[in-house]
Amino acid sequence: MKIIMLGAPGAGKGTQAKKIAAKYDIPHISTGDIFRANIKNGTELGKKAKTYMDQGLLVPDELVVDLVVDRVNQDDCEKGYVLDGFPRTIPQAESLDAALAKLGQKMDYAIDVDVPDQVIVNRMGGRRACVGCGATYHLVYAPVKNEGICDTCGKELILRDDDKPETVQKRLNVYHEQTQPLIDYYTKAGILKTIDGTVDMNDVFKAIVDILGE
Ligand code: ADP
Ligand code: AMP
């Protein structure tokens, strides 16, 4: 089962991708997580990506595509995978399709988690990320047991630089200009499924399971 999560930044793609990965036992591949890990480790890729991420811009396609194509060719992806945050542009989607076509494969589902901009702005201000393991929480909707401390690894939680209000609006603009056209792209490919992302996260997941099957 090969799945793409579509949706604005903060729509809940990561939250749902983790649940999908656990239920269907497939890898969760988040390009944002891969870039943040590279930044933390001080790699060349991380240094390049950071300059774009800090401004709320997309990292150039050529820095993203090979990374994902290499990742989905690894053995643990044989049964499928859930892509979170990729593709984010039409050229990325075309490159992914071309790479899969060479292997005689194609994506099965593109799930669009639909959330209006105003709800996104409220959500992003409350998102907290762990500096250690990258786990994501929300001050109101997904609180931790001990304030400011990650439930999973005990490290500190922070507001991501790119979740600060001035950058969120920029990221939403970038989403509408560069990523939203993928909704049309995957509608034409016949694999788009749109779900309401404004409801409780467990109900969002139920809607996804209805689509993917038990
Ligand atoms: P994305 O991966 O699309 O950027 P996340 O999964 O990180 O988004 O979710 C953004 C923030 O909103 C997080 O703090 C998360 O805990 C919270 N969140 C996710 N889904 C919901 C939901 N259905 N209702 C309320 N808050 C949610
Ligand atoms: P995310 O965690 O998915 O919200 O991604 C955080 C940031 O990483 C984005 O705002 C982009 O700067 C960058 N990024 C992640 N995935 C991609 C992608 N597929 N293409 C370009 N930039 C990306």
Side-chain angles (χ1 to χ4, degrees):
M1 187 151 40
K2 295 193 266 310
I3 304 162
I4 293 167
M5 300 305 291
L6 289 178
K13 300 181 297 296
T15 302
Q16 299 303 327
K18 286 189 186 94
K19 287 174 178 281
I20 293 171
K23 180 172 172 72
Y24 299 98
D25 194 24
I26 52 177
H28 166 209
I29 302 174
S30 156
T31 42
D33 284 354
I34 294 171
F35 288 137
R36 282 184 287 277
N38 274 274
I39 292 172
K40 196 170 153 195
N41 295 329
T43 68
E44 275 311 307
L45 175 66
K47 282 179 199 152
K48 283 186 195 154
K50 189 174 187 323
T51 60
Y52 299 94
M53 291 168 74
D54 283 351
Q55 298 178 67
L57 298 173
L58 294 185
V59 174
D61 291 340
E62 58 271 24
L63 293 183
V64 191
V65 171
D66 290 352
L67 186 112
V68 175
V69 170
D70 285 350
R71 179 66 189 86
V72 300
N73 274 317
Q74 286 172 20
D75 289 348
D76 64 333
C77 289
E78 247 169 38
K79 274 183 18 190
Y81 43 83
V82 52
L83 294 180
D84 162 16
F86 181 94
R88 256 179 159 104
T89 63
I90 296 277
Q92 289 182 16
E94 288 171 345
S95 301
L96 176 65
D97 282 350
L100 290 178
K102 275 191 199 157
L103 304 168
Q105 298 177 4
K106 61 180 194 52
M107 295 305 302
D108 299 307
Y109 299 95
I111 300 178
D112 177 34
V113 185
D114 188 28
V115 178
D117 285 11
Q118 195 45 56
V119 178
I120 297 283
V121 173
N122 289 337
R123 266 194 203 172
M124 300 292 249
R127 173 157 67 180
R128 292 294 178 272
C130 173
V131 294
C133 68
T136 302
Y137 301 91
H138 192 280
L139 291 180
V140 179
Y141 306 116
V144 279
K145 295 195 187 87
N146 299 306
E147 205 185 315
I149 305 291
C150 179
D151 286 350
T152 310
C153 75
K155 296 254 166 61
E156 181 201 356
L157 301 182
I158 53 152
L159 175 67
R160 271 166 47 181
D161 277 342
D162 61 348
D163 281 351
K164 292 183 176 150
E166 57 279 15
T167 315
V168 169
Q169 192 51 56
K170 179 83 166 288
R171 294 173 71 200
L172 279 171
N173 296 343
V174 167
Y175 166 75
H176 290 301
E177 277 166 31
Q178 294 183 262
T179 307
Q180 213 170 14
L182 291 176
I183 292 180
D184 241 26
Y185 182 93
Y186 288 113
T187 302
K188 285 185 185 132
I191 62 166
L192 187 86
K193 306 280 175 189
T194 302
I195 52 162
D196 178 3
T198 63
V199 296
D200 179 273
M201 45 190 98
N202 294 317
D203 293 328
V204 178
F205 189 56
K206 277 189 199 139
I208 293 176
V209 173
D210 280 348
I211 291 166
L212 302 180
E214 271 301 338

